[in-house]
Amino acid sequence: MAVGEPEIDDVSFLNVGGGGGGGRNYEQMGGPQMHSRQLICSQRKATCITLVIAAAIIAVAMISAFSRPSVIYKCGRDSLDNRSTSAAFQPIAESGQLFPWNSSRLPQAVKPNRYDVRLQIDLDSFFFNGSVSIQMQVIAPTDLIVLHSNNLTITKYYVKSHKSRSRIDIEEMHVYKPWQMVAFKLQKPLAVNEELDLTIEYEADLVSKLTGLYKSSYTAEDGEKRFIATTQFEPTYAREALPCFDEPNFKATFLLNIIRNKNLIALSNKPVAHSHSVGDGNWVFDIFKETPKMSTYLLAIVVCDFKSRSAITNGNVQVAVYAPNKTIDQVHFALNITTRMVDYYSDFFQIGYLLSKLDLIAIPDFKAGAMENWGLVTYRETAILYNEQESSASAQQRVATVIAHELAHQWFGNLVTMEWWSDLWLNEGFASFLEFFGIEHVKPEWSMMAQFFLDQTQVAMESDALASSHPLSVEVNDIDDIDLIFDSISYSKGAAILNMLQNFITTDVLRKGLTRYLTRHEYHNAKTEDLWSAMTAVSKEHNQNFDVEKIMQTWTGQMGFPVVTISRVGKVLQARQHRFLFNANTVSNFTDPKDESHFGYVWYIPITYITQTHPEDVQLFWMNEQLKNFELVDDAAWIKANVNQTGFYRVKYDHYNWNALITQLKSDHTALSSADRAGLLDDAFSLSFGFVLAPKVALDLSVYLLNERDYVPWATAVQHFDRLLVLCEEKAIYLTLKKYILEMIAPVVTQVGWEDNGSHLDKYVLEKV
């Protein structure tokens, strides 16, 4: 269908600001209308009438869609399995006897130092057997050793003194499946600093379960189905491959030995030290070099018949990318990005990549997008393979960003690991933030930091505006709770608040703070407060007056984010903050909202703004109370707060400022940056979906899109247009609304064209519209 010239050049006449359905009122717009001209063309008049109806129907549709009761999941103190903290709870072992430990967290009396692991992996019978000898040190007097094991058949076990090699008698072994724990009760207590070795032999089937040590398959060029063995241990699946202390703060080194078919290869975190044939000559025994001290979830094993391509970084790190032979020619882009990213991160942190090799491998069946195992990063095939002739621009960018994300983990997560999953955001938030930094360096033409607001901030706000959100630092103990926090809060909100931090302390101070943090805690674990402590120290060394910990605790210690309402009287601006929710009624599902936050849902907000008369002069003031007044330096027609959308908050203006901004966008939208234009669209539509702003404002604002050509504003608009179309899908106005959206899109489609050429972001615009 051919799309003609747009029939609508102004929808500011839409006026449903007086109210909405269900007893809910939108913001009263009031005041003089800045665009009140009459439309003479009958075609435009007809469209005018239908869009007035559209706005009214949209209001009703929004109310019906967002006012439904919601089921709230609270990932916090009240959601925890009370058995983990209740002294009254008594777990019963498989034997029917009392399990000798009553917490879902491991005791701290014994810590592992080294695992000596042997695994024979049989891809013909889909079976593996193994033994693990764990060298441990006693931290506190105890007669109990408790560790994790799941879906493993233990066939033999014993404990020896590491020094004398004499056996220490085991009184009994108990298994408690709900916590996936096995406990060894010793006949005599162990003394502090005593060293001992626990050896366990075991076996299990190799099945297609996507966790632990499992089998995967692919179809070769000749049509043959071939099998590989691979691993996915994060967060709590190492225990499915070997009995171990499967919590992140039980770091140890790993000495791995793999017995595999002679026609296959074995890969792990470190290179093979040497190999030799065993048995009938069909088996090879690979002995790997010992790993650095690391958490169990970072151990990785792959047995396969893949091919590889390799390169060496400027820092002399051997990089190899593995894939099935039929797709090995699609790894070159990944190899190039990886070598450049390793050098960039090494320079940025002033800490080199600490292993001699880095392998990346495409796994046919993979649960996650990728996994940052130290020295052997596993990927879903679509996250690492790139076909220059067939793959889209978005597929190429996804490969680059996923690689950059996992490489950032080699420092944030691997070198320094969160103390417990409660601070998962320290791993995932940093990697999600740094992936944009890294790709911005190696692919500057992609404008990754311009896309940050779209891909991270907006995504996080979508989830964090729900009453079912959770704080970044959230208490978890139950296994199911741990899985649930691998979400857009830990990833995207973590990235967004780091971007906000970087904006007010500067990139240089942030970098030095990160280096301080990594250096202080290398090969160990850390908590959120350790990060803020390092940042505060470096900030003060640069004569900044920021108490980073005090500021950032309000962003990590409570769920949600604020909407800042700015009203203006002359040169005096009044700013008021309150928590933004898509449906404020859902908060009534909590007993008392303030009980859910030590900060009472008040944030320490760095409010930046520019004005119509000084659009290049960014002003900053701090707000850590619900209401604050500040004075403008001039009597500008408009102000735009949250400059470039670097802050994690929304802004609602009074009707005079909205109208002035709309006028500016229609006359010269380039007076505001691409990020600011996208931010205005996102705030206006989201506030209307949250019932605090009339849909009329968002629709009127969207008219300027006739002249918009940049990707980020268009991507923002399209996602909100999509939502509007869904809300109105069964309404009479659906076709009229769709026609209006097509008229908005027509000019940018005409300019970009339908051919898959032009710049990277031109291709993105084409894909989006």
Side-chain angles (χ1 to χ4, degrees):
M1 182 181 78
V3 181
E5 290 298 312
E7 300 173 0
I8 307 158
D9 62 345
D10 193 339
V11 293
S12 63
F13 45 80
L14 295 179
N15 188 3
V16 293
R24 186 182 297 277
N25 289 324
Y26 290 103
E27 173 199 35
Q28 296 294 324
M29 293 300 291
Q33 294 297 313
M34 299 185 69
H35 308 283
S36 58
R37 61 184 174 82
Q38 297 295 314
L39 300 180
I40 299 174
C41 174
S42 59
Q43 193 174 33
R44 290 185 177 180
K45 183 176 180 180
T47 308
C48 166
I49 294 170
T50 54
L51 280 174
V52 169
I53 298 171
I57 292 177
I58 289 168
V60 174
M62 287 165 55
I63 290 170
S64 62
F66 290 97
S67 295
R68 297 168 184 160
S70 59
V71 177
I72 303 299
Y73 170 76
K74 291 162 64 179
C75 186
R77 292 187 298 275
D78 296 337
S79 70
L80 298 181
D81 185 341
N82 291 329
R83 296 172 301 178
S84 65
T85 56
S86 172
F89 176 74
Q90 297 294 329
I92 303 301
E94 293 297 298
S95 62
Q97 296 177 277
L98 193 68
F99 190 72
W101 181 248
N102 70 338
S103 172
S104 61
R105 295 281 300 276
L106 293 176
Q108 301 288 315
V110 177
K111 291 289 184 73
N113 289 327
R114 190 177 88 162
Y115 293 84
D116 193 335
V117 183
R118 180 194 59 79
L119 282 171
Q120 181 172 10
I121 299 174
D122 190 339
L123 281 166
D124 292 322
S125 60
F126 304 123
F127 181 81
F128 69 92
N129 63 71
S131 70
V132 57
S133 182
I134 310 173
Q135 180 183 329
M136 301 176 288
Q137 185 171 9
V138 180
I139 307 301
T142 186
D143 61 354
L144 190 66
I145 301 173
V146 184
L147 65 161
H148 292 106
S149 178
N150 189 33
N151 295 325
L152 302 175
T153 301
I154 295 176
T155 58
K156 186 177 181 180
Y157 53 87
Y158 54 88
V159 178
K160 285 185 176 182
S161 167
H162 186 71
K163 184 176 181 180
S164 67
R165 308 309 300 164
S166 60
R167 288 209 178 191
I168 299 172
D169 292 333
I170 298 175
E171 186 175 291
E172 53 193 7
M173 182 188 79
H174 296 285
V175 175
Y176 186 61
K177 286 188 176 180
W179 291 343
Q180 302 172 0
M181 286 183 180
V182 56
F184 298 94
K185 185 74 183 309
L186 307 180
Q187 287 190 351
K188 65 176 184 178
L190 301 168
V192 174
N193 293 326
E194 187 173 350
E195 293 185 344
L196 59 149
D197 296 327
L198 168 64
T199 299
I200 302 173
E201 296 180 7
Y202 59 96
E203 59 189 27
D205 291 328
L206 195 63
V207 296
S208 303
K209 57 181 178 176
L210 303 184
T211 61
L213 175 59
Y214 68 95
K215 70 176 180 181
S216 178
S217 64
Y218 73 97
T219 303
E221 301 98 317
D222 58 4
E224 179 188 1
K225 187 177 183 179
R226 299 184 184 179
F227 292 93
I228 72 168
T230 186
T231 55
Q232 171 59 34
F233 288 166
E234 187 181 36
T236 57
Y237 306 123
R239 64 193 71 176
E240 296 179 5
L242 69 156
C244 58
F245 295 82
D246 201 13
E247 294 180 4
N249 65 334
F250 285 89
K251 286 195 170 188
T253 62
F254 292 81
L255 187 59
L256 182 67
N257 306 290
I258 298 291
I259 302 173
R260 42 86 184 176
N261 185 282
K262 67 177 183 180
N263 297 319
L264 304 175
I265 61 171
L267 302 170
S268 189
N269 307 76
K270 294 281 282 186
V272 173
H274 60 272
S275 304
H276 60 271
S277 297
V278 294
D280 58 5
N282 289 321
W283 296 92
V284 175
F285 194 101
D286 290 324
I287 300 173
F288 290 84
K289 294 181 179 180
E290 191 168 0
T291 72
K293 190 177 178 183
M294 65 185 195
S295 301
T296 50
Y297 77 86
L298 294 171
L299 181 65
I301 301 162
V302 177
V303 176
C304 65
D305 64 347
F306 288 1
K307 305 300 181 182
S308 69
R309 298 288 183 267
S310 61
I312 299 177
T313 71
N314 292 336
N316 203 33
V317 177
Q318 180 77 33
V319 177
V321 184
Y322 290 80
N325 187 61
K326 67 178 182 179
T327 55
I328 193 63
D329 290 335
Q330 298 177 34
V331 306
H332 297 289
F333 177 71
L335 182 63
N336 177 264
I337 287 291
T338 300
T339 54
R340 297 172 67 186
M341 288 302 309
V342 170
D343 286 332
Y344 173 73
Y345 283 147
S346 297
D347 179 68
F348 184 79
F349 298 127
Q350 292 295 290
I351 299 172
Y353 176 76
L354 295 171
L355 303 186
S356 61
K357 68 96 174 175
L358 174 60
D359 295 334
L360 293 75
I361 186 166
I363 304 297
D365 305 302
F366 199 63
K367 181 181 180 181
M371 178 60 211
E372 66 268 18
N373 317 294
W374 209 350
L376 175 57
V377 186
T378 46
Y379 292 84
R380 186 180 294 179
E381 289 182 321
T382 55
I384 192 171
L385 302 178
Y386 172 68
N387 187 325
E388 292 185 9
Q389 305 304 317
E390 299 179 4
S391 300
S392 65
S394 58
Q396 184 183 27
Q397 183 171 303
R398 171 166 167 74
V399 169
T401 54
V402 173
I403 288 174
H405 182 101
E406 303 309 322
L407 295 186
H409 275 310
Q410 306 302 300
W411 287 263
F412 281 92
N414 299 5
L415 179 59
V416 178
T417 312
M418 76 265 145
E419 180 77 17
W420 176 243
W421 299 108
S422 298
D423 283 325
L424 173 66
W425 85 273
L426 283 177
N427 283 16
E428 300 301 347
F430 264 108
S432 299
F433 171 66
L434 290 167
E435 70 186 60
F436 283 80
F437 250 61
I439 300 301
E440 179 85 5
H441 174 77
V442 301
K443 285 286 187 181
E445 68 274 18
W446 288 4
S447 302
M448 289 302 297
M449 292 312 295
Q451 297 183 56
F452 183 93
F453 168 66
L454 180 70
D455 295 339
Q456 298 292 3
T457 307
Q458 287 186 16
V459 170
M461 284 183 164
E462 187 78 11
S463 298
D464 213 21
L466 303 175
S468 54
S469 185
H470 64 82
L472 277 171
S473 294
V474 56
E475 186 178 347
V476 290
N477 283 311
D478 186 81
I479 292 173
D480 293 333
D481 280 351
I482 294 171
D483 280 331
L484 284 171
I485 62 171
F486 281 80
D487 59 9
S488 60
I489 301 300
S490 297
Y491 284 72
S492 296
K493 182 178 180 179
I497 70 161
L498 290 170
N499 186 51
M500 180 173 65
L501 173 67
Q502 180 262 159
N503 190 62
F504 70 79
I505 67 172
T506 73
T507 301
D508 183 57
V509 172
L510 176 72
R511 181 185 62 79
K512 290 177 180 176
L514 298 183
T515 301
R516 179 81 55 90
Y517 167 78
L518 291 170
T519 303
R520 281 182 180 177
H521 303 285
E522 60 182 2
Y523 301 111
H524 290 88
N525 301 83
K527 299 179 181 180
T528 295
E529 49 264 37
D530 296 318
L531 173 66
W532 301 148
S533 175
M535 288 293 175
T536 299
V538 173
S539 176
K540 289 182 178 178
E541 290 170 9
H542 284 72
N543 298 317
Q544 295 179 339
N545 295 319
F546 301 128
D547 186 338
V548 175
E549 184 169 5
K550 182 178 180 180
I551 294 168
M552 299 307 293
Q553 278 180 341
T554 67
W555 297 96
T556 59
Q558 60 185 346
M559 70 180 81
F561 61 90
V563 53
V564 178
T565 301
I566 295 179
S567 56
R568 178 176 170 185
V569 179
K571 290 186 178 181
V572 176
L573 292 181
Q574 182 183 84
R576 184 187 300 272
Q577 65 163 298
H578 66 273
R579 182 184 175 191
F580 176 73
L581 288 163
F582 275 131
N583 187 346
N585 279 351
T586 58
V587 82
S588 64
N589 286 278
F590 298 114
T591 304
D592 184 348
K594 289 188 177 180
D595 290 343
E596 296 294 317
S597 170
H598 296 299
F599 305 98
Y601 292 114
V602 174
W603 288 264
Y604 216 128
I605 311 173
I607 296 182
T608 55
Y609 70 92
I610 56 175
T611 67
Q612 174 256 335
T613 52
H614 295 90
E616 304 297 327
D617 185 13
V618 180
Q619 299 293 315
L620 167 68
F621 73 93
W622 288 92
M623 183 179 185
N624 64 338
E625 55 271 298
Q626 288 187 328
L627 181 66
K628 185 168 184 177
N629 294 332
F630 61 100
E631 189 170 347
L632 288 174
V633 295
D634 56 41
D635 193 21
W638 52 258
I639 74 160
K640 166 62 177 70
N642 196 6
V643 179
N644 291 322
Q645 305 305 116
T646 56
F648 195 68
Y649 57 92
R650 296 201 181 280
V651 181
K652 175 189 172 187
Y653 305 98
D654 59 28
H655 69 280
Y656 296 105
N657 204 77
W658 277 121
N659 287 340
L661 286 167
I662 290 168
T663 299
Q664 178 65 71
L665 289 174
K666 289 177 180 177
S667 62
D668 179 15
H669 65 284
T670 62
L672 292 167
S673 70
S674 174
D676 278 332
R677 301 194 302 269
L680 286 171
L681 288 165
D682 192 49
D683 280 351
F685 277 104
S686 297
L687 291 171
S688 66
F689 288 130
F691 304 108
V692 294
L693 186 68
K696 165 188 179 299
V697 177
L699 288 170
D700 200 6
L701 186 69
S702 70
V703 173
Y704 101 90
L705 290 167
L706 287 168
N707 298 313
E708 181 62 79
R709 300 296 179 267
D710 285 357
Y711 167 66
V712 176
W714 260 117
T716 301
V718 167
Q719 70 179 7
H720 289 297
F721 286 160
D722 283 345
R723 176 176 285 183
L724 283 176
L725 289 171
V726 169
L727 289 174
C728 297
E729 189 169 10
E730 298 181 1
K731 309 296 181 183
I733 202 62
Y734 175 79
L735 291 177
T736 301
L737 179 61
K738 186 174 182 178
K739 183 178 181 181
Y740 167 70
I741 292 171
L742 289 173
E743 288 173 346
M744 294 296 101
I745 290 174
V748 70
V749 171
T750 300
Q751 176 171 314
V752 174
W754 294 103
E755 297 297 324
D756 187 20
N757 50 34
S759 71
H760 180 76
L761 289 185
D762 282 344
K763 294 178 182 179
Y764 254 45
V765 172
L766 179 60
E767 288 181 27
K768 185 62 65 174
V769 302

